[in-house]
Amino acid sequence: ANTLFSGSRDSTVRLWDVSTGRCVSQRAVSRNVVTCAATVPHESLVWQGSEDLRLRLWDTRTLQPAATLQGYVYFPLSMAADGNFCLTGSNGFDSSGCELRIWDRR
């Protein structure tokens, strides 16, 4: 089945069945206000950025975090991903935290 990953300001992430339009799985993580997400090509994984300054790598088969990375000054607003790397960008605030960063999940 084709699925779609979504996240929102209510600190939840969801998997949707595209053919039926129904939510098939949902997970809430405290303070996980989702700001961006990117699928990992050819894998059941999605990178997700949050206002809690963390990146989460979700396993979409179980909707469990496969990894959580920390180290941001300002939350990410955009991202792109491949098999091992995730590129994130943030606009910062008052000249602090404006950056592009490459993350290695290995």
Side-chain angles (χ1 to χ4, degrees):
N2 287 333
T3 57
L4 176 72
F5 179 91
S6 70
S8 69
R9 297 200 57 81
D10 68 358
S11 298
T12 63
V13 292
R14 292 179 173 87
L15 279 180
W16 300 85
D17 182 321
V18 174
S19 62
T20 65
R22 293 187 177 170
C23 178
V24 294
S25 188
Q26 175 178 322
R27 179 90 44 212
V29 177
S30 179
R31 300 183 57 209
N32 184 39
V33 176
V34 177
T35 58
C36 54
T39 59
V40 176
H42 314 295
E43 295 191 52
S44 298
L45 298 169
V46 174
W47 283 102
Q48 174 251 303
S50 175
E51 284 187 7
D52 69 358
L53 306 181
R54 291 180 172 88
L55 294 180
R56 289 178 179 81
L57 183 63
W58 292 92
D59 182 332
T60 59
R61 296 166 298 187
T62 61
L63 205 56
Q64 293 290 328
T68 300
L69 304 175
Q70 300 181 104
Y72 244 98
V73 174
Y74 198 78
F75 60 84
L77 294 174
S78 62
M79 59 179 34
D82 74 0
N84 291 313
F85 301 99
C86 180
L87 173 69
T88 60
S90 63
N91 67 352
F93 181 75
D94 200 22
S95 300
S96 176
C98 300
E99 64 183 16
L100 291 175
R101 188 178 286 195
I102 298 174
W103 303 81
D104 187 340
R105 75 174 184 161
R106 295 174 287 170

